Amino acid sequence: MSYKTIVVNLAVDADPAPIVKLAGELAHRFDAHLVGFAAADVPPLVTTGEGLVYEGEVMQVKRQEIEKRLAELRDIFESRVPHSISSEWKQYICGPTRALGLVARSADLIVTADGGEDVFRALDIGSLVLGAGRPVLVAAGYAEHLIGKTVLVAWKDSREARRALSDALPLLAKAEEVVVATMEAASETDVRDSLADVAVFLEQHGILARTEVIAGAADGEGLIAFARSVGADLIVCGAYGHSRLREWAFGGITRSLIGESGISRLFSN
């Protein structure tokens, strides 16, 4: 069980050093090829005193600024990744979410820090998870390491959760403790059977896990509180078990976890 190719996203408006270090350590741990990635785009409209207009000269200046920043990020990536790690660099003048989704075709795992609101310069984590078809590891804010000592698997008997469990196997195999937990108002027999099946599945992969039923309705804040109570430094979660529109309108576990920067999270869809 291993990741053979890892893509790490370097956001153009953030310090790249922590995420490069974290991704480099993961690449070393799994003997993986590491792909450094950065992208940004120029908004098609700019604001002037006359309103929103196309302004070729301004757009050209902004493009040059992006190209300069991408070159800086490449230098940082290449200087900080040890020569013992196989690596390469890719950069695009394009929306980062779309570009990273394309690069992910040849990857086993995407690693990034949190996203942002500017779609021209920052990732939309939700859209990336839905569109990339690859697990997305979102590192805790400014984290330089992912120990993965205690991993919480947020379990719900859904396609997304099953996918996340399989995608996380390499990390789970290296964890000291794996906790599989589900949130239910009552500990019904089928819930316990579901958790038992997950434990058997993991055991067949050489991973020992304990299971927990968290009393109460499914709630993102409750899950995060439980993760902290067991000392988890990584949460594995199937993303958007409900439609994304419903989650953004009414709230949901995926939305809460995307907004949580204190613990690293691995999402699959």
Side-chain angles (χ1 to χ4, degrees):
M1 294 180 289
S2 185
Y3 302 117
K4 295 301 184 182
T5 302
I6 297 173
V7 177
V8 57
N9 171 62
L10 279 63
V12 295
D13 295 320
D15 177 7
I19 198 67
V20 171
K21 185 171 184 178
L22 184 149
E25 289 183 355
L26 284 175
H28 176 74
R29 187 184 310 175
F30 294 108
D31 192 24
H33 179 65
L34 183 61
V35 180
F37 166 91
D41 204 358
V42 180
L45 297 174
V46 296
T47 304
T48 69
E50 299 175 353
L52 293 173
V53 299
Y54 288 94
E55 180 59 66
E57 184 175 344
V58 172
M59 293 178 69
Q60 182 60 32
V61 169
K62 290 184 175 295
R63 183 184 179 93
Q64 291 172 351
E65 291 174 348
I66 290 172
E67 290 173 343
K68 179 181 177 181
R69 179 56 176 163
L70 295 179
E72 293 172 351
L73 292 173
R74 176 174 186 166
D75 289 343
I76 293 170
F77 174 80
E78 293 180 343
S79 67
R80 291 178 177 267
V81 175
H83 295 300
S84 59
I85 296 175
S86 170
S87 65
E88 65 178 294
W89 176 257
K90 295 186 178 183
Q91 65 185 50
Y92 297 86
I93 305 292
C94 180
T97 304
R98 177 177 179 275
L100 185 51
L102 297 176
V103 172
R105 289 180 298 207
S106 60
D108 296 302
L109 177 68
I110 300 169
V111 177
T112 183
D114 288 304
E117 298 296 327
D118 187 344
V119 297
F120 297 101
R121 300 177 68 87
L123 287 179
D124 179 333
I125 300 296
S127 294
L128 180 67
V129 171
L130 285 171
R134 295 291 186 269
V136 178
L137 174 60
V138 184
Y142 302 104
E144 295 184 344
H145 312 280
L146 177 68
I147 305 301
K149 180 179 179 181
T150 300
V151 181
L152 171 63
V153 177
W155 178 251
K156 177 182 179 182
D157 194 8
S158 65
R159 180 190 67 83
E160 295 81 8
R162 296 178 188 188
R163 182 73 265 161
L165 187 69
S166 293
D167 286 340
L169 283 175
L171 289 164
L172 298 177
K174 293 184 179 294
E176 293 184 12
E177 182 179 19
V178 176
V179 181
V180 182
T182 191
M183 305 187 75
E184 293 289 340
S187 183
E188 303 291 345
T189 300
D190 59 343
V191 173
R192 295 193 299 271
D193 289 345
S194 176
L195 289 171
D197 287 343
V198 174
V200 170
F201 170 79
L202 292 174
E203 187 175 0
Q204 290 170 340
H205 288 274
I207 301 165
L208 296 179
R210 67 179 176 94
T211 61
E212 296 277 354
V213 177
I214 307 171
D219 171 77
E221 295 303 318
L223 179 65
I224 293 167
F226 179 79
R228 292 196 176 107
S229 74
V230 298
D233 57 352
L234 175 65
I235 300 173
V236 173
C237 182
Y240 295 115
H242 301 293
S243 73
R244 189 184 184 190
L245 177 60
R246 179 179 173 184
E247 287 232 5
W248 282 107
F250 301 107
I253 288 180
T254 306
R255 181 180 179 183
S256 296
L257 289 179
I258 287 176
E260 168 59 41
S261 62
I263 303 174
S264 295
R265 297 130 286 155
L266 186 141
F267 297 105
S268 289
N269 178 267

